[in-house]
Amino acid sequence: MTTERTLASSEAMHHHLVDELNLALRRVGMYGELGTSMWFLMRQLLVLEQRPGVWDEQKDRWERRGLWGPKGVEGALARYFPSHLTYAASSVYTEFARTEGWLTPDRILDAETYAELRDTAGPWAAEDRTWADVTAAFGPPSVQIGGDNPRYSKTLCYVTDDLTRPLVAFHLWNGTDPGQEKWPSHEDPLLLAVRSGDGAVADTLTFTPQGRNRRPKDDGWNQ
């Protein structure tokens, strides 16, 4: 028995993959391992756009910035964050999706609001903050990576409509503190770091006191 099929147009497939990518960036884990799902979705989008070489070029840029290694983005970030790195790593892919025009933000900051956030986020993160503090200070994010349950880690990303301006990511952690059995140890996720900029990753991170205390101890970082 032969069943006739009508194939979707390349434009329809492109829209479909963009929608899937936006879900995968936010709902980490629903498509399996982050690096694999990003490789698949982004490579297919670039093939449809007849630009397959862009993926390797982007990996080279990430590697130069210290955001790529043998274990991908997550491995490169392992020296900066204690655990649940997937949310932080997803923000790196989110930034790439934005520069490629694939990202659909839930909120776009106007130029003035974005400039104020960029100017104040670093000094503001000199003190310990929580998820509630971030949204109270800067409003709802453009992209929330992770769900609404405060028991889990997440990353909040803020963007403006100018694609030349870097994404600002607030990396929040929740889990079990050493020596404690209660999970999670905190009612609200703790802000560990703010990331923004297009230079070396170490130069784009501003850590809160909690973030400095929770960095892996064997990374050679002594600030």
Side-chain angles (χ1 to χ4, degrees), residues 99-117:
T99 62
E100 294 302 310
W102 302 329
L103 185 67
T104 306
D106 300 313
R107 176 190 176 207
I108 298 177
L109 279 63
D110 61 48
E112 182 178 353
T113 302
Y114 172 83
E116 182 178 359
L117 185 152

Side-chain angles (χ1 to χ4, degrees), residues 7-19 48:
L7 298 180
S9 67
S10 58
E11 182 178 359
M13 282 304 305
H14 189 272
H15 284 309
H16 171 72
L17 287 173
V18 166
D19 288 344
L48 276 174

Side-chain angles (χ1 to χ4, degrees), residues 89-105:
S90 186
S91 73
V92 176
Y93 292 110
T94 297
E95 195 161 33
F96 175 52
R98 176 172 171 266
T99 62
E100 294 302 310
W102 302 329
L103 185 67
T104 306

Side-chain angles (χ1 to χ4, degrees), residues 140-163:
S142 304
V143 176
Q144 179 174 305
I145 300 170
D148 291 330
N149 192 330
R151 297 166 66 88
Y152 297 96
S153 304
K154 56 196 85 266
T155 289
L156 309 183
C157 303
Y158 293 80
V159 301
T160 186
D161 59 0
D162 183 351
L163 297 183

Side-chain angles (χ1 to χ4, degrees), residues 111-128:
E112 182 178 353
T113 302
Y114 172 83
E116 182 178 359
L117 185 152
R118 279 291 315 274
D119 290 343
T120 61
W124 184 83
E127 299 179 17
D128 285 326

Side-chain angles (χ1 to χ4, degrees), residues 12-29:
M13 282 304 305
H14 189 272
H15 284 309
H16 171 72
L17 287 173
V18 166
D19 288 344
E20 294 291 293
L21 176 61
N22 275 272
L23 282 173
L25 289 167
R26 291 165 166 85
R27 300 173 64 180
V28 172

